[in-house]
Amino acid sequence: MRPTMKDVASAAGVALKTVSRVVNGEPGVHPATAERVRAAIDRLGYTRNESARVLRSGRTATIGLVIEDVADPFYSGLSRAVEDVVIEHGCLLLSGSSGEEPGRERELVETFCARRVDGLIVVPAGEDHTYLRPELEAGTPVVFADRPPGAGIDVDTVLADNAGGAMEAIRHLMSHGHRRIAFLGDAPGIFTAAERLKGYREALGGLFDERLVSMRPPALEAVRADLARMFALDDPPSALFTGNGRYTVTALRALDGQRVALVGFDDFELADLLHPRVSVVAQDPAWMGRVAAELLFRRLRGDAGPPEHIELPVRLIARGSGELLAPP
């Protein structure tokens, strides 16, 4: 059978309370006694009974994280940053991918809550989060990242300046003479895609042309067809703005070497090694993950202030593709 704390106390010749203090890192134990207890722990192979600790404290030392897709470099960067903060606080991270399916998001959240996680960080796939109300009323802190919760739920939220970044990208292309700028973005029901479309449209003003907009998942053949349609117009685009890193890579494949000015939202690996090097509006997923996680642990420490809505700045990185001049 697995050794117990009583076995350790017997082997070390000390009281059960002394073993408990050593195991939990509490003061009041003579160094020599503590060393004798630790030696007995090593010799017996004792490990703390987490289930018993949870029953005593009411805390599981676990955090739940729901993201869109762990295979997406943006979300893997965010997830790693959250995990680093969770580990710094001596906790364990449980995570899962929703795959942009609201039902899967809810299933993951409810599974984590059934396991009594101490807090949640959610990148939402759906727009209805009323199912979270029982957990919020029970005191479980929740932080939304990258996208806000649906109407009726007001909790801590950490976003990027999506619209502002899109406006900066379009103004940058316009400063190099471009007036016909196409937008290739993800499905319009996704908050970040809709915000980037909003910034694109506002920056263009009266130059906005609905025919130069395509919003759907970035499948290669679909992007090729959209670009072929746009380039066949009497006044085709001379520049592209792509709405996320996956879309930028797909558009580059679809262009197959065709020289078009381009700025993408989100940086991606090897963007600085292509020819021309790819200009991007970069957000920092690791920063977003860390801010969200640190905010969650503030709540767990007892911060009961009103919900915070944080918008992180983005930055334009000019590498070459966005600086190609418009044809005369």
Side-chain angles (χ1 to χ4, degrees):
M1 294 180 64
R2 180 177 297 175
T4 67
M5 202 176 286
K6 286 183 179 179
D7 296 327
V8 174
S10 177
V14 298
L16 184 61
K17 181 62 176 176
T18 301
V19 177
S20 176
R21 285 176 175 161
V22 173
V23 168
N24 292 297
E26 297 174 4
V29 181
H30 190 279
T33 303
E35 184 58 35
R36 196 162 74 248
V37 171
R38 284 191 285 268
I41 287 172
D42 291 341
R43 187 167 66 253
L44 295 175
Y46 167 80
T47 56
R48 184 165 62 175
N49 186 330
E50 288 297 318
S51 297
R53 185 191 63 78
V54 168
L55 288 173
R56 288 194 304 271
S57 69
R59 296 281 290 273
T60 63
T62 56
I63 301 297
L65 170 66
V66 178
I67 56 177
E68 187 261 324
D69 183 2
V70 73
D72 186 319
F74 177 86
Y75 291 113
S76 62
L78 184 150
S79 178
R80 176 58 188 270
V82 170
E83 184 176 29
D84 287 344
V85 175
V86 169
I87 291 172
E88 288 169 12
H89 286 81
C91 296
L92 177 69
L93 182 68
L94 305 178
S95 64
S97 300
S98 69
E100 291 292 4
E101 297 179 11
R104 176 63 176 159
E105 171 209 312
R106 178 170 181 168
E107 179 185 346
L108 284 167
V109 168
E110 291 179 342
T111 298
F112 291 156
C113 290
R115 291 177 178 271
R116 296 294 182 261
V117 294
D118 295 328
L120 287 163
I121 297 174
V122 180
V123 176
E127 296 181 355
D128 181 5
H129 297 100
T130 53
Y131 69 86
L132 276 170
R133 281 180 181 155
E135 292 300 325
L136 294 170
E137 290 169 359
T140 303
V142 180
V143 177
F144 277 68
D146 191 43
R147 308 167 186 176
I153 297 292
D154 187 17
V155 297
D156 294 319
T157 307
V158 183
L159 310 175
D161 185 7
N162 294 285
M167 293 179 71
E168 187 173 4
I170 300 309
R171 288 168 178 165
H172 183 73
L173 289 167
M174 293 178 73
S175 73
H176 290 83
H178 298 281
R179 296 296 179 268
R180 301 287 291 167
I181 304 170
F183 175 58
L184 303 177
D186 220 324
I190 298 173
F191 170 81
T192 49
E195 285 292 296
R196 292 165 196 175
L197 174 64
K198 175 183 174 183
Y200 161 85
R201 187 167 192 157
E202 289 183 7
L204 282 173
L207 297 174
F208 176 79
D209 184 345
E210 192 74 48
R211 297 176 299 170
L212 298 184
V213 174
S214 174
M215 298 191 73
R216 55 179 169 181
L220 180 58
E221 291 308 315
V223 173
R224 278 187 178 140
D226 287 335
L227 289 174
R229 173 183 58 78
M230 292 175 183
F231 289 136
L233 296 171
D234 291 338
D235 45 357
S238 61
L240 300 179
F241 172 52
T242 48
N244 60 43
R246 286 180 295 182
Y247 235 115
T248 304
V249 172
T250 304
L252 289 170
R253 289 195 174 110
L255 287 169
D256 195 22
Q258 183 176 348
R259 197 171 176 83
V260 180
L262 183 148
V263 176
F265 205 111
D266 286 337
D267 206 357
F268 61 96
E269 192 172 6
L270 304 183
D272 58 340
L273 297 180
L274 299 174
H275 182 74
R277 296 174 180 177
V278 181
S279 299
V280 298
V281 173
Q283 54 178 332
D284 189 338
W287 186 20
M288 181 178 288
R290 177 165 284 276
V291 169
E294 289 176 345
L295 182 51
L296 183 70
F297 278 99
R298 268 179 37 208
R299 299 304 187 189
L300 287 169
R301 289 194 298 270
D303 184 342
E308 294 191 21
H309 306 106
I310 300 170
E311 186 175 82
L312 303 178
V314 298
R315 64 190 180 101
L316 179 75
I317 304 176
R319 295 194 178 110
S321 67
E323 293 67 60
L324 298 177
L325 297 176

